[in-house]
Amino acid sequence: MWYAIQTMTGREEETIETIRKVIEPRICMECFLLKREAIWRIHGGCRIHTERLFPGYVFVRISDPEEFYRQLKQVPQFTRILGKDGLDFQPVSQEEEKFLKQLLNKDQEYTVRLSPVEVDKQGNIISCGEPLKRYINNVVKKRIRLRYVIIRVWLLGRERDILLGIRVEGDYPWDKKDMEG
């Protein structure tokens, strides 16, 4: 199961390095930061870069939550481990973990990649590929020219707006079959 750790924004990578040094690998099997691809429009062209999907959060997959929590107290960077119902340490729910994994679309670098979209002349999305395809009905805002959409979902204990990068034909070479699944 995944757990979310809240840390200081901008110090996520440092927190990950410290966790990897302090926590035994048999206890903490994975420690990672979720990222997303985004597009910067520069001089009429598009440049892809990655940025944090959830600034201030680090995710872990662990085998022994109690031992992990005990060892984590040695890591000064973290603020708190997310929990609910007054409990200090609870895993990300199965539904939330499933949602995050669907966004990642099996990406080994924990990065939500750009979703290919096709738009009509009015700027309406007429077809799209993964990961947006699953959540097209959750779109609350779209900025086609700026190459992103915002979806609204319940995640980590509250309703959140999540920015997802998109790519449109002509941004760089891509194949329409990306949208077919």
Side-chain angles (χ1 to χ4, degrees), residues 31-48:
C31 184
F32 52 94
L33 174 66
L34 297 179
K35 299 169 284 194
R36 71 168 160 247
E37 285 185 334
I39 291 183
W40 284 338
R41 298 200 35 112
I42 301 171
H43 305 295
C46 296
R47 296 228 171 138
I48 298 173

Side-chain angles (χ1 to χ4, degrees), residues 40-87:
W40 284 338
R41 298 200 35 112
I42 301 171
H43 305 295
C46 296
R47 296 228 171 138
I48 298 173
H49 72 283
T50 57
E51 53 191 40
R52 295 174 190 93
L53 184 60
F54 301 111
Y57 291 93
V58 168
F59 293 82
V60 293
R61 187 170 63 90
I62 56 179
S63 63
D64 184 345
E66 290 177 19
E67 181 61 22
F68 178 80
Y69 185 71
R70 188 185 68 70
Q71 292 182 21
L72 189 65
K73 291 179 183 179
Q74 301 171 40
V75 179
Q77 286 88 352
F78 87 92
T79 303
R80 66 187 178 107
I81 299 170
L82 297 188
K84 52 188 167 186
D85 302 326
L87 301 172

Side-chain angles (χ1 to χ4, degrees), residues 5-19 31-33 52 54-58 75-79:
I5 300 170
Q6 192 172 20
T7 190
M8 291 173 37
T9 300
R11 299 190 62 187
E12 298 89 350
E13 288 88 357
E14 181 182 339
T15 300
I16 289 171
E17 287 177 31
T18 305
I19 287 172
C31 184
F32 52 94
L33 174 66
R52 295 174 190 93
F54 301 111
Y57 291 93
V58 168
V75 179
Q77 286 88 352
F78 87 92
T79 303

Side-chain angles (χ1 to χ4, degrees), residues 92-103:
V92 172
S93 74
Q94 288 181 342
E95 296 82 23
E96 292 172 335
E97 184 175 333
K98 179 181 175 184
F99 165 75
L100 293 170
K101 286 179 177 179
Q102 287 174 338
L103 278 184

